[in-house]
Amino acid sequence: MTHAAAHYTSTGLDNKKLAFWAFIGSECLLFGSLISTYLVYKGRSVSGPTPHEILNIPVTSVSTFDLLMSSLAMVLALAAVSRGDKLWARFWLGTTAFLGLVFLGFQYYEFTSFVREGLTIRTNLFGSTFFTLTGTHGAHVAVGVLLLLTLLVRSFQGKLGPEKAINVEVTGLYWHFVDVVWIVIFTVVYLLQ
Amino acid sequence: MSPEHRSEHAHPGTGTYLAVAAVLLIITIVEVGVFYVPAFKPVLAPVLLTLSAVKFGLVVMFYMHLRFDHALFRLIFTLPLLLALGVSIALMFLFGAFGLGH
Amino acid sequence: MVVYSGALIGFMGWGVWAHHMFASGLGPIADSVFGATTMMIAIPTGVKIFNWLATMWGGQVRFTTAMLFAMGFIAMFVIGGLSGVMHSSPPADLQQTDTYFVVAHIHYVLFGGAIQGLFAGIYYWFPKMTGRLLNEKLGKLHFWLMFIGMNLAFFPMHFIGLLGMPRRIYTYRPELGVETMNLISTIGAHVIAVALLFFIYNVWRSWRRGEVAGNDPWGGAMLEWTIPSPPPDYNFTVIPEVVSRLPRWSVTHMKAIPEVPPQPIHVPGGSYWPLVAALGIIGMATGAVAHTLWIVLASGAVLIFSIYRWAFEPFEV
């Protein structure tokens, strides 16, 4: 991160961005297999609680909305950094990180209430696959929040000018990917019970 | 950015971002709405899957700039995505999630 | 051709793994699919093997130790491949599951294949890594002892397995009639051990007093033989421009590489932070296995801290 981003590459593409796209490609397979595992074992739990007994659609709809809006804040942050607008860059980066934290808070609430209602990762196939899938997604959100806060600190240190916009762009790629994974999870896990 | 980074231009403007966000929001509301309407029960799965595919596409094309970006990025994302989709379908088929094989 | 076959094997490799689990009752669909993919993966593998044979056919073969190991690899890998195709048929596989037949198969692939390939590489590139050649006489002794030893050890296992001896069980009933073959196997294992002693002695001796290799002891075609042995930290003084696929053998197509760097070469300094980050991951896994949350959290903190130090480490030494 400390050396200049723009240097010659044989593809003519920024190698950081290429690496991030390749990483996101491999993440497709990770989440693809976790979602498939969830679907393969859907409806095969021998004991409850089952998805439609426990999943809280209104609350999750709000957290889905929250994550979608964080993606909007993220693209606005990238636009602000690219045009060298420090104030708005900090505002939108902070907003994105904050919305990410809110999402994690929703997930904390969801997980603890599920445990209270008797669904843990050990309870049944639904519990195992559900917590593995959404927990992995939550861990990705947490890493994304760390990245965003790092960018925010770099901005306050005066080290996030337009020449470093690529760092914001790749963080954005990651963040939007985490968002689209949630789009799929929300539909497949929560709405298609 | 140096001149060879020809992929870095032509990001959409704030207006497009807001429009996309509005569409995403509307689709999410429709999804949740459809979920609560009993009449949609028989077509729930295809409707929801289509809507979420549209959301997926919008975010990837506009927020991740894939619509405007270099073809290599598109390739490096789309191929694993299709592979993941294939693996998913194959796994569900193999383990009888479609009611076959067992 | 070899590269495309390798890529194809890599892709198909994602779709064969359940052939290890036919006996676990996957059901007819899974059995058929994974049986078929396992048979199909033999096709690109065969393409590779014919390619290697054709390469030798078209070349002038010198029977150095490295070459002997490479040829031994092809021959033994074919045997392992043939018993592998036998496993791809679920009914046959059910008979062979968890018997010594599988043990014979895996050792022809892994020992006859991978280990001999590794030794071929070691004998070939040892002079590049250390600047000294391994002793050829000791090397050939090592090869022949190991080659005979592995066949003594692993070939009888095919029969032992088909006669019904299960793997991972150290006793067997006398009426099974496998004592002689098990004895041969044991002798073979000891021959392999002796062969490896020769190898270790060879490395120890050649490292200190072996024949000095120079840039190119083999007359190799590839770029690594244009630079000194052992190579300098920066490898090449300038980035070589390559037009031919065998650059050393077609001098007209390759620009000469200067002896000394025309301009100072900047090599990034080493960093300990990747190592610390890896220790953090080990700690997290260990803590998770031990169900001890504070170890997971502490190691996670170590991981995150070292990733930050790594990312923000100054590029200049």
Side-chain angles (χ1 to χ4, degrees), chain A residues 16-186:
Chain A
K16 220 180 256 182
K17 200 167 155 186
L18 192 62
F20 250 83
W21 271 113
F23 168 64
I24 288 172
S26 75
E27 291 274 275
C28 285
L29 288 162
L30 171 69
F31 281 105
S33 50
L34 287 176
I35 292 171
S36 327
T37 313
Y38 176 84
L39 290 176
V40 160
Y41 289 123
K42 205 169 104 175
R44 296 198 181 173
S45 301
V46 283
S47 65
T50 55
H52 64 265
E53 287 169 4
I54 202 163
L55 291 177
N56 189 335
I57 300 300
V59 166
T60 317
S61 303
V62 175
S63 73
T64 304
F65 165 73
D66 166 87
L67 206 57
L68 284 174
M69 289 305 106
S70 80
S71 262
L72 176 62
M74 186 71 236
V75 284
L76 294 176
L78 172 61
V81 172
S82 303
R83 62 170 191 266
D85 188 340
K86 284 184 192 138
L87 200 66
W88 280 107
R90 284 167 201 167
F91 175 76
W92 288 121
L93 281 173
T95 306
T96 316
F98 174 74
L99 291 174
L101 283 172
V102 170
F103 180 84
L104 288 174
F106 271 113
Q107 197 167 41
Y108 177 79
Y109 165 78
E110 183 190 36
F111 280 16
T112 45
S113 61
F114 281 5
V115 170
R116 263 200 314 278
E117 289 167 52
L119 182 76
T120 71
I121 198 165
R122 299 176 178 199
T123 308
N124 53 17
L125 282 171
F126 167 60
S128 306
T129 51
F130 173 82
F131 280 115
T132 309
L133 172 58
T134 53
T136 307
H137 179 265
H140 278 75
V141 175
V143 169
V145 169
L146 265 183
L147 289 174
L148 288 164
L149 291 176
T150 309
L151 289 175
L152 192 60
V153 170
R154 294 301 276 177
S155 175
F156 278 116
Q157 289 171 341
K159 288 179 179 161
L160 197 70
E163 77 284 355
K164 290 291 172 75
I166 187 69
N167 290 352
V168 184
E169 188 171 353
V170 294
T171 307
L173 290 179
Y174 176 80
W175 190 256
H176 298 312
F177 177 73
V178 170
D179 184 25
V180 293
V181 169
W182 186 255
I183 289 176
V184 176
I185 292 179
F186 180 60

Side-chain angles (χ1 to χ4, degrees), chain A residues 12 17 25 36 44 65 68 187, chain B residues 4 8 25 52 69 80 88 95:
Chain A
K17 200 167 155 186
S36 327
R44 296 198 181 173
F65 165 73
L68 284 174
T187 305
Chain B
E4 64 262 24
E8 252 72 57
L25 198 60
S52 88
D69 226 332
S88 217
F95 287 90

Side-chain angles (χ1 to χ4, degrees), chain A residues 1-3 122 146 150 154, chain C residues 291 304 308 311-313 315:
Chain A
M1 279 194 195
T2 43
H3 54 282
R122 299 176 178 199
L146 265 183
T150 309
R154 294 301 276 177
Chain C
H291 292 273
I304 290 171
Y308 272 95
F312 289 104
E313 197 161 52
F315 187 59

Side-chain angles (χ1 to χ4, degrees), chain B residues 21-69:
Chain B
V23 175
L24 291 174
L25 198 60
I26 292 166
I27 294 180
T28 308
I29 292 169
V30 171
E31 280 183 325
V32 179
V34 164
F35 173 76
Y36 282 112
V37 177
F40 277 106
K41 196 92 188 170
V43 288
L44 193 60
V47 167
L48 284 178
L49 287 176
T50 314
L51 287 176
S52 88
V54 171
K55 277 162 79 183
F56 192 101
L58 281 175
V59 173
V60 171
M61 282 196 305
F62 288 95
Y63 283 2
M64 295 166 93
H65 314 123
L66 216 48
R67 193 168 166 232
F68 317 97
D69 226 332

